[in-house]
Amino acid sequence: MVTSLVLPETVSVPGQPRQNTNRSYRIPFNRPTLVGKELYYISQVIHLGHSAGDGAFSKRCHALLEEILGAPKVLLTTSCTDALELSALLLDIQPGDEVIVPSFTFVSTINAFVLRGAKPVFADVRPDTLNLDERVLEGLITERTRAIVPVHYAGIGCEMDEIDAIAQKHGIRVVEDNAHGLLGKYRGKNLGTFGCLATQSFHETKNFICGEGGALIINDTSLIERAEILREKGTNRSRFFRGQVDKYTWVDLGSSFLLSDILAAFLYAQLEEREEIQATRRRIWEYYDEQLRDWATEFEIRQPVVPAHCDQAYHMYYLLMPSLSIREAFIDHLKARGILSVFHYLPLHLSDMGRRFGGKEGDCPVVEDVSDRLVRLPFFNDLAESDQASVVEAITEFIPR
Ligand SMILES: *Cc1c(COP(=O)(O)O)cnc(C)c1O
């Protein structure tokens, strides 16, 4: 069963002010939960004596994720950000290369490529799913375009048939940022298995967590051997441990991308309970969707759109309010009732960095519009039905004007 990890109110760190703003809310936006054997598995890691990366639980996570996804190779990383950085290294992204990314995403999706010298090219999103709009892609491709990085926003698949076809036609690689989408499907195929590479996040805000963590999914088998080297500080240590070489040495670029086995143990327990977690998240998502429908229709508030050919991953529940000022009033209305709701990404093309690369108002009109109006509702694995009912009640008391 799902158990909350939230400490009693009386527990605080000696000598430090309480910093967790979640505590001032009766119903937080998110909180980590234990779902199974997390703490037992962590104690096993200590007992086994291998707490660095690629221990027993890392190997179990690799095998389980490969099986769940039907992917040839999965490697745990310290974060999704690091899996993206590893992707940019693996694709040999060079200064001046262009990488196309939706403007409505987390910074890391593109920063990982900019670190290698790439120029970001920001794409607008579809008004329905808020995913990279495949219809604008052709217009953004130049002879310098090396990669497209679609993000399956809220765990709802991008139009991968069209994106893949365009990428193939121009000889461009696709890297899926699947931070929201583990266990989601597009036309029956798992998200994370479309690109030559895909990345996962196990950050505490995602569906399956270990505090901080990630994974690189390698669908192009020709990239596996080098991925193992880059991930192991540029050494062939993985081959050494398999007995394929008798010493290990420095053979390529690299960095320290391995997840501690302590965190892998926590993650493995979460992945074992994936069906229960997803069933819970589905129930939460559907409850919001059904209970808010009449209110949303009356006040022209848009609920999420899930195309029939997408099995979503139930990552979040959002609403699109009629305007920025109504969204602010809505967040304040819930706050006054002890409920934390939050907005999401700001347009990347209008950020300080985005503008430095030439981003300007009007480049991505849909992103500019929705980022002001989107609000996310409390969504975590042990959100009690009575608490969710009180969120719904507070929301339906809100009259936008
Ligand atoms: C959370 C998130 C990331 C970053 O994940 P980390 O594991 O925190 O590095 C990247 N992209 C998207 C779309 C995300 O939501």
Side-chain angles (χ1 to χ4, degrees):
M1 262 327 287
V2 173
T3 335
S4 171
L5 260 184
V6 171
L7 298 169
E9 279 303 304
T10 49
V11 174
S12 61
V13 182
Q16 292 211 359
R18 193 167 281 154
Q19 290 183 5
N20 189 348
T21 51
N22 257 349
R23 294 282 177 82
S24 43
Y25 290 88
R26 182 168 58 89
I27 303 174
F29 170 67
N30 180 55
R31 69 179 169 220
T33 51
L34 292 174
V35 294
K37 298 183 182 158
E38 288 91 342
L39 302 181
Y40 170 64
Y41 285 163
I42 287 175
S43 67
Q44 278 203 326
V45 171
I46 306 304
H47 179 72
L48 290 168
H50 179 125
S51 61
D54 283 350
F57 283 96
S58 299
K59 286 178 183 146
R60 286 195 203 173
C61 286
H62 292 162
L64 184 57
L65 286 166
E66 284 160 14
E67 183 196 315
I68 294 169
L69 290 164
K73 190 78 185 171
V74 176
L75 295 170
L76 292 183
T77 56
T78 32
S79 63
C80 181
T81 300
D82 274 345
L84 287 159
E85 289 179 20
L86 198 43
S87 304
L89 281 166
L90 271 169
L91 296 185
D92 259 324
I93 297 296
Q94 298 293 322
D97 288 348
E98 293 177 7
V99 174
I100 300 176
V101 65
S103 179
F104 195 61
T105 183
F106 188 63
V107 174
S108 297
T109 312
I110 187 63
N111 187 67
F113 295 87
V114 172
L115 266 178
R116 311 307 315 154
K119 174 177 181 262
V121 174
F122 299 106
D124 208 355
V125 298
R126 296 178 57 99
D128 51 3
T129 56
L130 313 185
N131 280 330
L132 184 140
D133 192 338
E134 68 285 354
R135 295 162 297 193
V136 305
L137 268 181
E138 290 272 12
L140 299 174
I141 290 171
T142 72
E143 67 272 14
R144 311 217 62 166
T145 309
R146 290 287 318 284
I148 301 169
V149 191
V151 176
H152 305 298
Y153 186 72
I156 297 163
C158 296
E159 291 304 328
M160 291 314 296
D161 282 351
E162 284 78 3
I163 293 172
D164 274 348
I166 293 167
Q168 236 164 45
K169 179 173 143 201
H170 296 274
I172 297 168
R173 309 309 297 266
V174 173
V175 178
E176 296 167 78
D177 180 340
N178 196 32
H180 302 179
L182 187 58
L183 305 188
K185 291 186 165 89
Y186 170 79
R187 298 196 191 279
K189 185 169 152 68
N190 289 315
L191 301 182
T193 60
F194 290 88
C196 61
L197 298 165
T199 63
Q200 298 297 151
S201 176
F202 305 114
H203 183 264
E204 70 165 357
T205 52
K206 304 305 196 293
N207 291 24
F208 307 94
I209 64 165
C210 64
E212 296 271 4
L216 180 69
I217 301 163
I218 308 168
N219 297 308
D220 176 346
T221 52
S222 72
L223 297 172
I224 294 175
E225 192 177 331
R226 186 152 184 255
E228 288 181 336
I229 292 169
L230 300 186
R231 177 171 167 272
E232 267 281 22
K233 299 102 179 159
T235 73
N236 55 358
R237 188 149 75 169
S238 301
R239 301 197 70 200
F240 171 72
F241 283 133
R242 286 196 296 262
Q244 291 164 333
V245 287
D246 55 14
K247 310 195 234 331
Y248 79 84
T249 182
W250 186 22
V251 293
D252 200 339
L253 291 177
S255 194
S256 184
F257 290 119
L258 278 68
L259 186 72
S260 160
D261 220 52
I262 297 174
L263 296 178
F266 194 105
L267 177 63
Y268 187 69
Q270 296 253 316
L271 293 175
E272 274 187 330
E273 298 298 327
R274 63 194 175 279
E275 278 166 23
E276 190 193 329
I277 291 177
Q278 289 309 78
T280 301
R281 299 185 76 93
R282 176 178 181 162
R283 188 168 43 68
I284 294 170
W285 197 97
E286 287 176 348
Y287 184 87
Y288 276 138
D289 207 52
E290 283 154 23
Q291 300 293 316
L292 295 175
R293 189 158 301 139
D294 291 347
W295 168 83
T297 309
E298 182 178 348
F299 297 110
E300 295 184 356
I301 288 155
R302 179 158 94 53
Q303 296 177 283
V305 176
V306 186
H309 54 278
C310 293
D311 295 318
Q312 64 150 322
Y314 301 101
H315 175 56
M316 72 168 92
Y317 196 86
Y318 70 80
L319 296 168
L320 278 179
M321 307 305 283
S323 69
L324 173 62
S325 59
I326 292 175
R327 180 182 73 180
E328 283 173 348
F330 178 84
I331 290 174
D332 286 347
H333 170 89
L334 293 185
K335 188 173 175 180
R337 286 153 185 80
I339 299 164
L340 180 57
S341 61
V342 297
F343 54 86
H344 211 186
Y345 306 127
L346 301 174
L348 278 181
H349 68 287
L350 299 181
S351 64
D352 288 353
M353 271 298 268
R355 285 180 191 276
R356 231 177 282 166
F357 286 104
K360 56 185 185 322
E361 271 86 5
D363 285 353
C364 303
V366 180
V367 176
E368 288 166 34
D369 172 40
V370 298
S371 96
D372 274 351
R373 300 193 288 116
L374 188 141
V375 60
R376 296 183 291 157
L377 304 182
F379 202 122
F380 46 90
N381 297 338
D382 70 342
L383 176 58
E385 213 168 302
S386 56
D387 280 344
Q388 202 187 358
S390 90
V391 176
V392 165
E393 195 189 320
I395 290 174
T396 51
E397 282 166 5
F398 179 78
I399 311 291
R401 57 171 152 250

